[in-house]
Amino acid sequence: MTEPSPSTPPLSTHLRSCLSRLIAPQRHPILLPLVAVALALLVCFIAIWLTGKDPVAGYQKMFMGGLGTLRAQGDSSTRAAILTLTGLSVAVAFSAGLFNIGGEGQLVVGAIAAAFVGQAIAPGSGLIHLPLALGAAMLAGALLALGAAWLKVRRGVHEVISTILLNWIAIYLVEGWLVTGPLRAQSATGHTLPGTAQIAATAELPRFFGLRSDLGFAILLASALALAVWIFLGRTWRGFELRACGDSPETARASGIPVARRVYLAMAISGACAGLAGALIILGMHRQYPAMFRTGYGFDGIAISLIGGNHPLGVLGVAAFFGIIRAGGTSLQLLQIHRTFPELIQGLALLFVAGKAILAHGLLWLRVRADGSSADRPDPSAAVGARPEVEPEPESAPKPKSSEG
Amino acid sequence: MLAFIEAILASTLDFAPPVLFAALGGMLSERAGIVALGLEGMMRLSAFFAAVGTLATGNPWLGLCCGMGAAGLAALGHAWLAIRWRSDQIISGVAINLVALAGVTFLVEALYGSTDTTGSATIGKLELGFLSDLPVVRALSNHSWLTWIALLLPVALHALFYATPLGLRILAVGEKPAAAATLGVDVAAIRYGCVVVGGLLAGMGGAALSISTLDRFSNHMPAGQGFIALAAVIFGKWTPFGACGAALFFAAANALRIGLESSVPGVQEFLPSGVLLALPYALTLCLLAGFIGRAQAPAASGIPFDTERR
């Protein structure tokens, strides 16, 4: 394990130190997301090329379609805001050691609550109408998430399973009952219309450029929330307790933290974020709860959060990137590429994050290669082995903790 | 009334295979200790590649093999990440779902220039002519071969689990891999096998959608059926007959919903379709919460096995 020789050229020493820093992602948390997204962009580039289309033009269209015009920027910013919120939802739960897969359901109940409050209260309530609608959405999302938290704390149901089940319960009840039944819009002549009634103008999200672009309040709200979550998790006592529960519930309990209550808190914040995302979609884009409403943004939040390293600011950055290219996806249709293509990039990036142990292994192998003589160097597979030391195993392994209370 | 029951029975048997296959596949994977969150994505991959294979060869059975192969490969990737690299199984499951969702949309657009494939041959149906005179029972006739394979599989899996050494090893690996390993059971090999075979089964389920239930791949597939299969695994308490029963029960609820909506006008007023659609999930949740019975997951499900940590 000795250094090869004191006369190692400076360049190779430099290279080695660079590489060894690269393989320590805790010191370079931004590296993994960058590598994962870059690999995903590369794979998708090749995929377009293989189908006989022009990948350069495609990527150009995709990025310009998300940034080129004021309207495009508005679209990007709204999508980025929604993705930020669903991403934060997952990230907050994750830092408390919980895997909230229920973002989609919480988003849907948030959306219907926003649509209901948005149209139900008579215009004239003025300035408080929008906060009321946003608040209702957050409350609805939080309540659904609290259901999952209760099931975990009191009944020992793992939150991954309960939130998946609650997703579909929420989606079907909203879509197959509320929107087609009690909350269905009525026209002046008494005919029923698809979706809920249009929201009042007082409940619409303020926009900076009027009808020219959706650029406005949504992205400000989402950014502010990302900052707030960052400060909360990283700089407050309560946030520290939350993270302690995530890192080791036993230690947290032993040091007097009421773990069950922190589970409720984390899930409530998580659900509120997802519910707020639903409100942004309704109050900023559709202005009603449409008859057909399947967004997938709740599931996207899982990808956004994990690619962003479950860090609030990482989530904001990753959401901004995918917000832009997903808004630009519409322009890809000019090349006969489906507009959901950016979601493939997103999914692949998540897949590469899931395989981060492989990436770390590959980098270590590079390091050994850079060393030159591998004779007295440990074999990379022996050094890292099957155990990725780069990051502790996430505390999300589904192991029902039955009696948290 | 008899005709109505007969119709419900018939459509239950038509609806069941996708969820039934996927549930059995998911159960096999979870019994060996690997969480099966990627069922939806595997079904989607298989539904698409089965349609492609059928269109290319003209033979739906070859198409079925294509679909199963695609889902099996996805499962192999999942297993590799989970076993060799000890990645978080939930993350890679979600990743499979997301990649399959957008990736298949991209492929179908690239290959067919639309969101659906064109119509193709479908898996043949099994005529039971001698039943045609009997009321109700004749509903058993004229179903896809896949329906019968799906109904026989639980028996095979039950026999595997409870009557063969291999089955006992699988169960041991899912409950206490460390103990199994000390007795010389190759935990990794068993897990690889179960996840890949589980993926092949989920693939049969996905293929059933596109070359048996319908004659083409349509972009909305599998529309949450992978998740209902996951619910069926739990509702069936991780046993072959349980998962089979749960899948049949969910299929019957679906058939009943569609039957009621088409034959009883105005039923939506007092029994909205959303309530019936949500019912299987709500029941599963109640079961998990211990309100009706109790479902216990395999103890080691989702936990990577580390030979150095006992």
Side-chain angles (χ1 to χ4, degrees):
Chain A
M1 205 53 80
T2 51
E3 287 301 309
S5 74
S7 64
T8 311
L11 180 67
S12 113
T13 319
H14 180 67
L15 199 64
R16 251 184 57 205
S17 74
C18 278
L19 282 167
S20 53
R21 260 186 287 134
L22 284 181
I23 59 168
Q26 65 268 44
R27 272 187 274 167
H28 287 259
I30 215 161
L31 183 77
L32 180 68
L34 283 182
V35 172
V37 171
L39 273 179
L41 283 170
L42 181 69
V43 170
C44 287
F45 190 89
I46 296 170
I48 299 181
W49 179 68
L50 284 178
T51 58
K53 288 155 190 162
D54 183 0
V56 178
Y59 273 36
Q60 228 165 14
K61 283 215 159 38
M62 187 167 72
F63 282 101
M64 287 315 286
L67 290 170
T69 63
L70 196 61
R71 180 168 296 281
Q73 289 160 12
D75 196 11
S76 302
S77 74
T78 314
R79 286 169 199 264
I82 296 161
L83 289 174
T84 303
L85 289 173
T86 53
L88 283 178
S89 165
V90 177
V92 169
F94 219 102
S95 53
L98 302 162
F99 212 141
N100 179 11
I101 304 206
E104 189 71 17
Q106 291 145 20
L107 181 143
V108 161
V109 295
I112 193 75
F116 177 70
V117 174
Q119 54 87 33
I121 297 172
S125 43
L127 283 177
I128 61 158
H129 196 177
L130 178 62
L132 269 183
L134 294 175
M138 292 173 80
L139 186 67
L143 283 177
L144 192 65
L146 280 173
W150 181 83
L151 283 165
K152 180 183 179 69
V153 170
R154 300 301 293 268
R155 315 296 303 195
V157 183
H158 196 272
E159 76 276 3
V160 167
I161 299 298
S162 64
T163 50
I164 287 177
L165 297 173
L166 284 170
N167 269 344
W168 295 96
I169 295 174
I171 289 169
Y172 284 130
L173 284 184
V174 168
E175 188 180 87
W177 172 47
L178 287 177
V179 177
T180 51
L183 296 182
R184 187 159 190 179
Q186 300 268 334
S187 74
T189 50
H191 293 299
T192 53
L193 301 165
T196 64
Q198 293 281 321
I199 57 167
T202 44
E204 277 184 28
L205 286 179
R207 290 180 288 185
F208 299 149
F209 300 98
L211 290 175
R212 283 166 57 209
S213 166
D214 280 342
L215 199 62
F217 187 62
I219 189 68
L220 290 185
L221 187 69
S223 311
L225 214 68
L227 269 176
V229 168
W230 178 54
I231 293 169
F232 169 73
L233 285 179
R235 299 286 181 274
T236 69
W237 186 245
R238 207 31 66 83
F240 168 74
E241 289 188 348
L242 223 64
R243 285 187 293 124
C245 295
D247 286 341
S248 167
E250 279 71 34
T251 315
R253 192 176 295 113
S255 50
I257 298 170
V259 175
R261 259 189 264 168
R262 297 298 169 265
V263 168
Y264 284 122
L265 178 68
M267 283 303 271
I269 299 176
S270 176
C273 287
L276 193 58
L280 294 190
I281 300 175
I282 300 302
L283 306 177
M285 290 167 85
H286 296 301
R287 296 177 174 82
Q288 62 153 185
Y289 193 104
M292 281 299 294
F293 185 67
R294 284 287 169 85
T295 66
Y297 281 122
F299 290 114
D300 293 330
I302 302 166
I304 298 294
S305 175
L306 289 162
I307 299 169
N310 298 310
H311 188 287
L313 302 185
V315 164
L316 184 62
V318 173
F321 177 76
F322 283 108
I324 290 167
I325 64 170
R326 289 180 64 163
T330 336
S331 310
L332 284 173
Q333 282 172 318
L334 297 171
L335 291 176
Q336 271 83 46
I337 299 171
H338 200 267
R339 68 188 150 72
T340 55
F341 183 72
E343 291 173 37
L344 178 60
I345 302 176
Q346 187 187 294
L348 283 172
L350 176 64
L351 194 63
F352 296 138
V353 169
K356 62 187 168 190
I358 306 174
L359 292 181
H361 187 266
L363 286 167
L364 188 72
W365 181 78
L366 277 177
R367 177 189 167 192
V368 173
R369 283 287 300 269
D371 242 10
S373 67
S374 53
D376 58 340
R377 284 272 140 193
D379 178 54
S381 59
V384 155
R387 174 161 358 162
E389 293 286 13
V390 288
E391 199 157 310
E393 244 160 48
E395 190 41 51
S396 59
K399 184 181 180 184
K401 301 177 191 82
S402 42
S403 53
E404 302 253 69
Chain B
M1 191 62 202
L2 272 184
F4 185 71
I5 293 174
E6 190 180 314
I8 297 293
L9 182 61
S11 45
T12 300
L13 290 175
D14 281 338
F15 289 151
V19 176
L20 185 40
F21 280 123
L24 292 174
M27 184 213 55
L28 187 61
S29 167
E30 298 224 333
R31 281 315 279 265
I34 306 287
V35 171
L37 218 58
L39 287 180
E40 176 92 357
M42 293 175 200
M43 285 180 83
R44 182 169 171 81
L45 282 172
S46 167
F48 173 66
F49 281 102
V52 172
T54 309
L55 281 169
T57 63
N59 183 341
W61 292 100
L62 288 178
L64 177 68
C65 294
C66 286
M68 288 172 70
L73 277 180
L76 184 63
H78 182 57
W80 189 59
L81 282 173
I83 298 164
R84 170 68 179 85
W85 298 101
R86 291 175 206 165
S87 302
D88 190 299
Q89 298 163 13
I90 297 169
I91 297 176
S92 54
V94 171
I96 287 176
N97 288 345
L98 289 179
V99 170
L101 182 66
V104 168
T105 311
F106 171 72
L107 284 178
V108 74
E109 177 102 11
L111 290 178
Y112 299 94
S114 107
T115 52
D116 295 0
T117 64
T118 44
S120 65
T122 55
I123 298 244
K125 291 177 186 287
L126 180 62
E127 299 275 357
L128 299 172
F130 60 91
L131 292 175
S132 60
D133 296 332
L134 300 161
V136 180
V137 184
R138 69 175 157 231
L140 293 176
S141 176
N142 206 23
H143 292 292
S144 167
W145 280 97
L146 288 179
T147 299
W148 296 104
I149 299 174
L151 288 173
L152 286 178
L153 254 176
V155 183
L157 281 173
H158 184 88
L160 170 74
F161 279 165
Y162 304 110
T164 67
L166 177 64
L168 282 176
R169 283 182 191 142
I170 293 173
L171 300 187
V173 162
E175 293 294 335
K176 217 157 180 49
T182 53
L183 294 175
V185 176
D186 189 341
V187 174
I190 297 252
R191 286 188 165 178
Y192 269 115
C194 286
V195 175
V196 171
V197 174
L200 294 176
L201 290 179
M204 283 186 104
L209 289 169
S210 64
I211 57 174
S212 172
T213 311
L214 273 184
D215 65 345
R216 67 194 63 206
F217 174 79
S218 166
N219 201 29
H220 63 81
M221 286 175 184
Q225 299 217 43
F227 288 107
I228 206 160
L230 192 63
V233 174
I234 303 161
F235 199 69
K237 302 186 178 180
W238 288 272
T239 60
F241 288 130
C244 171
L248 285 175
F249 172 66
F250 293 167
N254 204 20
L256 191 65
R257 177 181 65 83
I258 292 170
L260 280 178
E261 273 165 23
S262 59
S263 59
V264 187
V267 71
Q268 284 270 15
E269 293 299 316
F270 57 93
L271 197 58
S273 63
V275 173
L276 283 174
L277 280 167
L279 196 65
Y281 297 102
L283 284 175
T284 306
L285 200 55
C286 288
L287 183 83
L288 268 179
F291 298 134
I292 39 171
R294 195 102 174 95
Q296 192 72 47
S301 183
I303 304 163
F305 176 59
D306 187 340
T307 42
E308 293 149 32
R309 218 183 290 164
R310 290 281 156 90

